Amino acid sequence: MQIQVLLSAEDIAKRVKELGQEISRDFRDKDLVVVGILKGAVIFMSDLVREIEIPLELDFMATSSYGQSTKTSGVVQLLKDLDTVIEGRDVLIVEDIIDSGLTLSYLSQLLLSRKPASITTAVLLDKPDRRQTELVPDYIGFCIPDKFVIGYGLDFDNRFRELPYVGVVGD
Ligand code: IMP
Ligand code: MG
């Protein structure tokens, strides 16, 4: 299988640092809870929080909508909920990629019902061509074309998450 590099480890590190600085400025004096969406966001999240220079708490949620397909099934399933109470706190949802937008819309709605002070979203990658919702992420690492990508947390059938770069699979 051929993998074509789309974003190198250096490209990603540079952009993640910028996002961390922006988030540090925007959330100064806030009660920040960073929520990573398992499993895809773990690599991005762990790099991002180390570039954020203000205190924060970490938590995780997990969803599933893809199974072994490269297209969303359209139904988002909650596999793991937060442990943290978020009422009155500032929640930053961190996701690997926004594609249809269904996952982030579903999670934002769910968390909004718990009365946080605010909800914002950060994604490493944005595939705007495929959007089925109105959601616009607050922080975007890179806009990419409508290609299935792997690496830096992103998987195909649970493989390739460990690659230090983002790549496109060819044949
Ligand atoms: P959405 O609900 O369609 O926005 O999809 C979001 C989820 O789909 C992400 O959390 C990813 O797990 C997965 N996903 C979307 N596009 C890709 C891709 O190109 N490669 C790997 N996973 C993807
Ligand atoms: Mg995911």
Side-chain angles (χ1 to χ4, degrees), residues 65-66 72 95-103 127 147-150 154-155:
S65 69
Y66 274 50
T72 180
E95 213 354 358
D96 49 2
I97 187 166
I98 179 167
D99 187 20
S100 70
L102 293 170
T103 305
K127 271 193 223 171
K147 298 238 168 81
F148 196 81
V149 290
I150 52 161
L154 292 132
D155 73 306

